[in-house]
Amino acid sequence: MTDEKVIDPEVPPSGAGCAECLAADGWWFHLRRCARCGHVGCCDSSPSQHARHHAVATGHPIVRSYEPGEDWFYDYTSDQVLDGPDLAPPRHHPLDQPVPGPKGRVPRDWERRLH
């Protein structure tokens, strides 16, 4: 299920962290990368769930994990994990970026704030 209409392996990620969280001084648990446009958003366990909101707003249903050591894809419409092609680098957030992140913005009680 690597339809070229929903996955563009040539598009680089939008940045090192969730675009919306960075703009709003927010924080995230894990990151997801849109397989179509490269938008980096926070996962469904994160307080703001920006990756899913991006998928709904844009019609880009497939994300890839943006975590080191993870190469799985996920389709929000079918609720299934998928295989997919290699995407343009970088393939994960910077290794020195903490999880959760970004550094300095994660509240002490972050575990209680997860979905």
Side-chain angles (χ1 to χ4, degrees), residues 1 7 44 52 61-65 72-84:
M1 179 171 223
I7 295 178
D44 283 355
R52 182 177 292 274
I62 298 178
V63 293
R64 182 176 175 192
S65 175
W72 51 265
F73 288 77
Y74 180 80
D75 184 342
Y76 287 114
T77 56
S78 68
D79 193 30
Q80 293 183 349
V81 175
L82 312 169
D83 291 324

Side-chain angles (χ1 to χ4, degrees), residues 45-107:
S45 295
S46 298
S48 297
Q49 304 172 333
H50 288 123
R52 182 177 292 274
H53 294 304
H54 171 81
V56 170
T58 63
H60 299 169
I62 298 178
V63 293
R64 182 176 175 192
S65 175
Y66 201 51
E67 296 297 319
E70 297 181 359
D71 61 359
W72 51 265
F73 288 77
Y74 180 80
D75 184 342
Y76 287 114
T77 56
S78 68
D79 193 30
Q80 293 183 349
V81 175
L82 312 169
D83 291 324
D86 282 338
L87 299 181
R91 291 181 177 83
H92 54 76
H93 64 73
L95 293 175
D96 64 350
Q97 181 174 290
V99 175
K103 185 176 182 177
R105 291 195 195 168
V106 181

Side-chain angles (χ1 to χ4, degrees), residues 17-28 39-40 42 47-48 50 101-102 104-107:
C18 176
E20 291 85 0
C21 286
L22 289 171
D25 290 330
W27 64 277
W28 57 80
H39 174 271
V40 176
C42 54
S48 297
H50 288 123
R105 291 195 195 168
V106 181

